[in-house]
Amino acid sequence: MDSQAEPEVLDLDHVRIDPACAMKIPGALALRRQVLPFAVVDGHVYVACLNPDDRNALQAVERALQLPVRPQVAEPASLRRALERLFGDGTAPPTTPSAARPARPTDRRRAGEADAEDAVALCDDLLRSAVMRQASDIHIDPMKEAVRIRFRVDGVLDEYRQLPLAVQSGLVSRLKVLAGMDIAEKRAPQDGRFTYQSGSGSQAIDIRAATLPTKYGERMTLRLLALQTESLTLERLGMAPRDLTCFAEAIQKPHGLILLSGPTGSGKSTSLYAAIRRLIGQRDLNVVTIEDPIEYDITGVAQVEVDSADKVSFAKALRSVLRHDPDVVMIGEIRDGETADIAIKSALTGHLVFSTLHTNSAASAVTRLIDMGVARYLVAATLRLVVAQRLVRRTCSHCRQPQQLTAQWAALLGDPSLAGHTVYEPQGCMYCADRGFVGRLGLFEMMPIDASLSRFIADGAGEVEIIEEMKRRGAARLIDDAVQKLLAGDTVADDVLRAVTVW
């Protein structure tokens, strides 16, 4: 056992804990001895603890993981919080599934109960692990010989574990029960939802579930939506100072339309939530949102969810919302001409309207609205700001190493002069669970609509003309913001190229 310890005290609130490592020891041991294995790096297990000389506890961890351990003295309060998130208060039964245990003849009467207990324990294990890993989705995929469990973390699918096919039916049935689905229906897709209380119950996660029949059985996808929004601020989105100033000024306008554009999963809704939190924190406002689904719960905001049966569509809800005297209206997405028309008219009649569009650039949002049937002069009169947004992974500041950008990468980024500049590549360490990345940050392209640009749009300017006009004004493009963050060491070239099209 390697007992060398780092001299500094480790704050686990700033460490990404790997649940595949942490949950290999019994919760009772972790809570009683205050030890938590949290990462495997270079063949060693890093163990957060209060007493690095507690050889009995460290040897127990070493036996459970079959790897040498490296104890790290942890800040007591952060260790306690991490243990509670993973194991609760220690009163719950172990979550390790027992499906692999051979059943004894005397146990056959209780086989159904045991299977149910195993499914409940396995379900809890997966949900807690996904929350601890900060996953946005859980994929349960039945294959020919096993069930593959994958988590989407920082936008990338990562295999968590493989389970025997025998547990698939019980696991999916348990999740169906939680989500209010029909457990007898296995040949048609279903949708449902439930709220999960993680750890000691301090964090609530809203989970959307969907099933799909496949060749080897039902696959299930779970979307995890955090209900707490205390940390959701504009400053945390990753905007450059100039972009943050532009965005903050635009949302202070008394009326008009502010649009965020980008593909699914680019963080548009998160940015809008942060904007709303900024506004309601400054003054008392009547804010109403229309969403599908409600991704975050914001205290003091009336949030309306669009009904899948179309009893409450975006357009129907928006018409009703305008009778409730709102100051600010957020529409989850402008999907059709009717919604676009009502949103524009709402902005004209003195409301500040936020919404999103699926377009590739800020300039293309203008032409998309016009293609939906909105009169060009109305677009010019109401639009205040268009923001194009993407997400990239944020490099771990503890293990990233400098290196020179090659000529090949510079050419791919559209600027050969970047060759030789210093960029950073993550290596993996105990702070990031040997992954090299910790969360994501946004890339932004701001297009504020002032009086001159408004006239330019009203006079018939198309997407290409608007882009050229923004270039003449020296506006930063998405790729410009991406390159700045690449050179600052915040992300990597591979992620930039995946997120941004280089024209």
Side-chain angles (χ1 to χ4, degrees), residues 21 23 49 62 65 105 119 183 193 196 245 290 298 305 307 322 325 445 497:
C21 173
M23 299 186 74
C49 59
E62 190 172 75
L65 280 87
I183 63 172
R193 58 185 293 182
Y196 171 71
T245 300
I290 305 166
I298 303 181
E305 184 161 273
D307 194 293
L322 295 179
D325 186 33
E445 176 183 287
L497 289 177

Side-chain angles (χ1 to χ4, degrees), residues 449-470:
I449 312 296
D450 57 16
S452 61
L453 188 56
S454 177
R455 287 194 299 271
F456 193 58
I457 293 170
D459 290 341
E463 181 178 346
V464 174
E465 290 82 7
I466 295 173
I467 291 174
E468 291 301 318
E469 174 64 18
M470 296 308 294

Side-chain angles (χ1 to χ4, degrees), residues 120-155:
V120 170
L122 179 56
C123 173
D124 194 49
D125 170 66
L126 292 181
L127 294 175
R128 285 196 291 174
S129 298
V131 171
M132 183 59 64
R133 195 172 279 190
Q134 300 174 4
S136 62
D137 301 87
I138 303 173
H139 292 259
I140 303 172
D141 301 321
M143 300 184 295
K144 185 175 181 180
E145 298 177 349
V147 179
R148 180 174 58 177
I149 308 295
R150 292 183 293 174
F151 295 159
R152 186 175 294 279
V153 181
D154 298 336

Side-chain angles (χ1 to χ4, degrees), residues 188-469:
Q190 295 188 68
D191 297 292
R193 58 185 293 182
F194 62 98
T195 299
Y196 171 71
Q197 297 285 342
S198 69
S200 59
S202 59
Q203 184 179 17
I205 307 294
D206 191 28
I207 298 178
R208 305 304 169 94
T211 63
L212 187 68
T214 68
K215 179 178 180 181
Y216 297 111
E218 283 185 290
R219 68 162 291 162
M220 178 173 272
T221 301
L222 305 174
R223 183 76 184 273
L224 281 65
L225 305 170
L227 297 181
Q228 281 76 21
T229 60
E230 289 77 10
S231 62
L232 197 60
T233 63
L234 290 180
E235 288 74 16
R236 290 177 176 263
L237 298 179
M239 291 183 183
R242 67 176 187 280
D243 291 338
L244 181 58
T245 300
C246 177
F247 192 76
E249 289 177 352
I251 67 175
Q252 297 297 331
K253 296 183 184 298
H255 53 78
L257 178 62
I258 295 175
L259 289 178
L260 271 81
S261 69
T264 300
S266 59
K268 303 184 298 295
S269 296
T270 302
S271 296
L272 291 185
Y273 281 112
I276 289 174
R277 280 188 57 83
R278 167 71 68 91
L279 288 175
I280 63 177
Q282 293 174 339
R283 59 187 186 275
D284 193 13
L285 294 170
N286 181 18
V287 182
V288 182
T289 72
I290 305 166
E291 309 172 58
D292 180 22
I294 295 173
E295 296 188 29
Y296 299 92
D297 180 48
I298 303 181
T299 303
V301 174
Q303 296 176 267
V304 180
E305 184 161 273
V306 173
D307 194 293
S308 58
D310 205 32
K311 293 180 181 178
V312 183
S313 66
F314 277 111
K316 290 178 182 177
L318 189 50
R319 286 196 194 93
S320 178
V321 161
L322 295 179
R323 302 187 189 104
H324 290 263
D325 186 33
D327 299 300
V328 179
V329 178
M330 188 191 101
I331 308 168
E333 180 186 346
I334 294 179
R335 298 178 175 177
D336 51 46
E338 184 180 17
T339 306
D341 181 63
I342 300 172
I344 290 287
K345 289 177 180 176
S346 302
L348 276 175
T349 54
H351 302 90
L352 183 61
V353 180
F354 295 101
S355 193
T356 69
L357 272 177
H358 289 294
T359 60
N360 291 326
S361 67
S364 60
V366 174
T367 54
R368 177 65 56 83
L369 287 175
I370 295 169
D371 291 342
M372 285 182 175
V374 180
R376 182 179 287 274
Y377 73 93
L378 289 177
V379 174
T382 57
L383 204 55
R384 297 289 178 266
L385 175 69
V386 184
V387 182
Q389 180 171 343
R390 302 290 188 275
L391 288 178
V392 291
R393 291 177 295 175
R394 188 192 297 269
T395 54
C396 174
S397 61
H398 295 278
C399 64
R400 63 189 185 191
Q401 295 295 321
Q403 65 177 40
Q404 288 190 336
L405 189 68
T406 65
Q408 181 181 6
W409 275 109
L412 290 172
L413 291 169
D415 187 355
S417 67
L418 293 173
H421 280 66
T422 299
V423 295
Y424 293 82
E425 282 294 325
Q427 306 299 310
C429 67
M430 67 176 183
Y431 290 92
C432 59
D434 200 30
R435 297 177 182 279
F437 298 93
V438 284
R440 292 190 285 179
L441 77 157
L443 306 177
F444 298 92
E445 176 183 287
M446 300 280 167
M447 190 176 80
I449 312 296
D450 57 16
S452 61
L453 188 56
S454 177
R455 287 194 299 271
F456 193 58
I457 293 170
D459 290 341
E463 181 178 346
V464 174
E465 290 82 7
I466 295 173
I467 291 174
E468 291 301 318
E469 174 64 18

